[in-house]
């Protein structure tokens, strides 16, 4: 589309005098058609200026550069110049096209017209195709300065255009290219998207740069000490170490200065954002709305609290309402007592009994004499002795009749007489004798 808009077509028919009426060969001098092929308009420069292939794609191509106005006719003057390189200088922006956001860049074109070389902004490049007068002036300048080897030929023009098309249409972005594009975009963009994240990031970067500077200073001091203590044979090595440490210190200082400058820029953006929010009428209106809403919420909470206090007072003065789903209040009852019979003994009597009791009189001293009887099973003779109330005095499993009907409903165990099994067996000696006699 750029080529068509630049007027590429039957140029041979339009300018037959240029060709001399002869068929041109590959090595013949370039005509207007060939210069048009390798000329780059401003719109294409604007589209490619921030691409990683930009410098390679435009080097040795031609641009129609505006140099001012003629003193007599006051018409714009142009020169067809060759691009020799790309340099980075101050940032500028292209004119806005069709309401789109203008493209910003810091790349300048280094162009030559014969022996004259100078840097120009790309916004000074014309968006139209070169004219025959532009080509004639360039060729005359090259011939005058005897730079015929820099003159464009038909073969070189075709080769330049073919290589450019191959590069631009088949370029593959690498990871480094993407990281560089993102870094350049952040550098060019004056306003950060997430100021909070940027403030945290730059604070960490500044602290790291300061730590690196302190480390570089220590290394330089150590290198100087080594140089002072070095022998005559090691002086050269120690001197090179001091030089390297000094260079590292300078790099650390430059890095810290750059980080501090970036931090200052971000803080300035934050202050501008706060100032803009404070001065915005729309934001102030929303602030008033939020303040009224918070005040209304506090009043509503206070009224709800007062109403709840009044309801609590009314409940306390009147009788409580019956709640069919509330838990019934129950008086706890002990169905049986756990432990042995209670005996009224003073503490002095208990201590005397403990002191007077000999090991032979203890239950554990006689353990094992009756091998067929357990200590936890009461004596059957004692079980027969009943209390005047008709219950067994020493049976801990007996229930009291005072509980009445409550015990009768416990699965039939309320008034049932508890029987204690009396274990009957033989001693170990009898067992051994019967086993030997075969009467077991």
């Amino acid at each position: 589309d750029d080529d068509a808009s630049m007027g590429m077509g039957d140029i041979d028919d339009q300018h037959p005098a240029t060709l001399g009426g002869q068929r041109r060969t590959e090595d013949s001098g370039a005509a207007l058609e060939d210069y048009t092929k390798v000329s780059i308009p401003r719109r294409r420069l604007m589209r490619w200026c921030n691409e990683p292939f930009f410098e390679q794609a435009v080097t040795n191509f031609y641009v129609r550069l505006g140099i001012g106005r003629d003193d007599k006719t006051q018409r714009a003057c142009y020169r067809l110049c060759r691009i020799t390189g790309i340099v980075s200088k101050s940032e500028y922006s292209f004119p806005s096209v069709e309401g789109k956001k203008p493209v910003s860049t810091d790349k300048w074109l280094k162009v030559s017209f014969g022996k004259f070389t100078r840097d120009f902004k790309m916004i000074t490049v014309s968006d139209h195709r070169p004219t025959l007068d532009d080509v004639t002036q360039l060729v005359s300048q090259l011939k005058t300065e005897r730079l015929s080897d820099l003159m464009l030929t038909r073969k070189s023009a075709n080769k330049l255009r073919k290589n450019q098309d191959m590069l631009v249409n088949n370029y593959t972005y690498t990871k480094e290219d993407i990281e560089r594009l993102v870094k350049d975009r952040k550098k060019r963009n004056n306003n950060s998207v997430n100021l909070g994240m940027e403030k945290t990031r730059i604070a960490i970067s500044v602290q790291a740069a300061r730590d690196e500077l302190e480390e570089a200073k220590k290394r330089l001091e150590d290198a100087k000490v080594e140089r002072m203590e070095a022998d005559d044979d090691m002086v050269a090595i120690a001197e090179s170490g001091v030089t390297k440490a000094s260079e590292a210190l300078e790099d650390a200082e430059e890095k810290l200065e750059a980080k501090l400058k970036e931090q200052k820029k971000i803080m300035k953006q934050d202050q501008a954002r706060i100032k803009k929010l404070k001065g915005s009428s729309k934001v102030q209106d929303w602030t008033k709305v939020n303040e009224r809403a918070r005040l209304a919420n506090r009043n509503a909470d206070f009224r709800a609290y007062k109403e709840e206090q009044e309801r609590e007072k009314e409940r306390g003065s009147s009788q409580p309402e019956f709640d069919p789903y509330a838990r019934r209040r129950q008086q706890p009852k002990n169905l049986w007592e756990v432990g042995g019979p209670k005996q009224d003994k003073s503490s002095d009597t208990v201590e005397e009994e403990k002191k007077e009791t000999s090991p032979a009189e203890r239950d554990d001293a006689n353990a094992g004499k009756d091998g067929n009887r357990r200590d936890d099973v009461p004596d059957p003779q004692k079980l027969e002795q009943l209390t005047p109330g008709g219950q067994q005095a020493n049976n801990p499993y007996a229930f009291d009749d005072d509980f009445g009907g409550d015990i009768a409903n416990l699965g039939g165990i309320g008034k049932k007489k508890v029987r204690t099994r009396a274990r009957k067996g033989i001693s170990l000696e009898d067992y051994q004798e019967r086993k030997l006699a075969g009467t077991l």
Side-chain angles (χ1 to χ4, degrees), residues 138-171:
L138 175 62
V139 173
S140 300
Q141 184 72 17
L142 293 176
K143 288 181 178 180
T144 302
E145 297 178 352
R146 296 181 181 182
L147 298 174
S148 300
D149 54 337
L150 298 179
M151 294 180 64
L152 184 68
T153 62
R154 183 182 181 188
K155 182 178 180 180
S156 61
N158 293 331
K159 186 177 180 180
L160 282 172
R161 184 55 186 267
K162 182 179 179 181
N163 292 338
Q164 186 190 63
D165 293 340
M166 289 289 295
L167 174 65
V168 174
N169 297 330
N170 301 319
Y171 187 82

Side-chain angles (χ1 to χ4, degrees), residues 12 52 74 139 177 182 219 249 273 299 301 367 387 423 427:
D12 296 345
Q74 293 298 318
V139 173
D177 294 336
V182 173
R219 290 179 180 176
L249 179 61
R273 181 184 64 86
N299 294 335
D301 294 340
T387 58
R423 297 189 58 171
S427 64

